[in-house]
Amino acid sequence: MGTVWDRAVEVLRGRANILAPIAIGAIFVPSVINRAVVLFADPASRTTAIVAALVALLVLLANIWGQLAMLAVATHPATTRDDAARQATVRLLPALGVIMMLGVLFALALVPPVIALMRAGVDFSQASAMQSVPAGASGFIGLYSIAFVILALFVGARLLLLNPVILNERRGVGAIARSFRLTRGLTWRIAAVMVLFAIVLLVPTMAVQAVVGLVARLILGGESLPTVTFLASVAGAAVTTVFSVVAAAFTAQLYVATVAENDEAPLGN
């Protein structure tokens, strides 16, 4: 992993001028727009709900496109911004399809605890109210949650190279099996990196949001809570965008390293 990080740092140093505009346009700006719609639109309006759903879909598409474009730049040193945009556009729909399929499987994995709560008599229409959960159901949900987290770490680690495979090898659903093959023997090292990355991301994001929110509240006053919250979320989105660039560089170089280690054919453009 040390060599991969070194190569990722080299990519960030040499290609930041291409990666940064992609991240700003596809990650940062859409996230800010989505947050503005959520905070400032009328929540009781049906039109607002439709607009919010459309914006959320566009943000998802933009984020996937941005990830693919950054991976293209970080994988091949000769890739230009136009090349990256073209490759990301071509592979956007296959990536979206695979991600949606995995999302459905993830949602299905959450069904057992929901069923357990329903059988225990929990009323989901009163989710804001305190409701007691029988010991049997509570124990099952606790054990299931632990198993789910462990499984999620395992699967997340094995699927880390999913987007690089979709992008570089022109695969669809088959990218899942391919990612599993490439990460064989690296599962828990990748999982450890993912956990560390999540912690390193969470701490500065929360700190920046807290500081910006406090300063904005002192300046604007307590009556401007939506604006204060929006400014804090913009600051958090900026930190998240920076980390998304770092993640793309690391993932791309891990893909390059695992392909080379398995003596695969040269990567295609």
Side-chain angles (χ1 to χ4, degrees):
M1 290 293 177
T3 303
V4 173
W5 275 117
D6 291 341
R7 291 176 179 174
V9 170
E10 292 178 7
V11 169
L12 293 172
R13 287 174 178 171
R15 315 227 72 196
N17 61 324
I18 301 179
L19 290 168
I22 294 173
I24 292 171
I27 308 295
F28 177 72
V29 173
S31 298
V32 170
I33 293 173
N34 183 53
R35 194 59 180 157
V37 170
V38 171
L39 287 173
F40 297 114
D42 180 9
S45 171
R46 182 179 299 178
T47 302
T48 297
I50 296 173
V51 171
L54 290 174
V55 169
L57 176 60
L58 292 175
V59 169
L60 174 62
L61 290 172
N63 287 346
I64 295 173
W65 184 92
Q67 292 293 335
L68 293 172
M70 288 191 292
L71 286 170
V73 172
T75 303
H76 303 282
T79 302
T80 65
R81 188 180 306 175
D82 291 340
D83 291 336
R86 174 181 55 79
Q87 293 177 46
T89 302
V90 170
R91 303 306 299 164
L92 176 60
L93 289 182
L96 177 63
V98 174
I99 290 171
M100 290 181 65
M101 184 189 74
L102 292 173
V104 170
L105 294 175
F106 177 84
L108 290 175
L110 297 177
V111 171
V114 172
I115 293 176
L117 289 172
M118 292 175 63
R119 290 173 63 89
V122 174
D123 187 355
F124 289 96
S125 64
Q126 299 180 5
S128 59
M130 293 294 295
Q131 301 181 57
S132 61
V133 180
S138 179
F140 167 76
I141 292 172
L143 291 175
Y144 189 90
S145 299
I146 294 173
F148 182 82
V149 169
I150 295 173
L151 181 62
L153 274 175
F154 174 82
V155 174
R158 299 304 295 269
L159 291 179
L160 184 65
L161 301 182
L162 181 69
N163 280 341
V165 172
I166 291 174
L167 175 73
N168 291 290
E169 301 183 17
R170 309 296 192 267
R171 296 176 187 250
V173 177
I176 296 175
R178 172 66 167 161
S179 180
F180 265 70
R181 287 196 298 271
L182 288 175
T183 54
R184 185 183 297 119
L186 300 173
T187 305
W188 298 116
R189 278 184 285 175
I190 294 175
V193 170
M194 291 170 57
V195 172
L196 178 61
F197 186 85
I199 294 172
V200 173
L201 169 62
L202 183 63
V203 171
T205 300
M206 293 181 63
V208 168
Q209 286 181 323
V211 171
V212 172
L214 178 60
V215 172
R217 189 161 188 171
L218 290 174
I219 295 174
L220 300 175
E223 297 180 354
S224 302
L225 185 58
T227 302
V228 170
T229 304
F230 173 71
L231 292 175
S233 64
V234 169
V239 175
T240 303
T241 301
V242 172
F243 275 86
S244 71
V245 176
V246 175
F250 174 78
T251 305
Q253 289 307 304
L254 180 61
Y255 171 76
V256 172
T258 54
V259 169
E261 185 177 335
N262 285 277
D263 296 323
E264 302 284 351
L267 301 176
N269 237 334

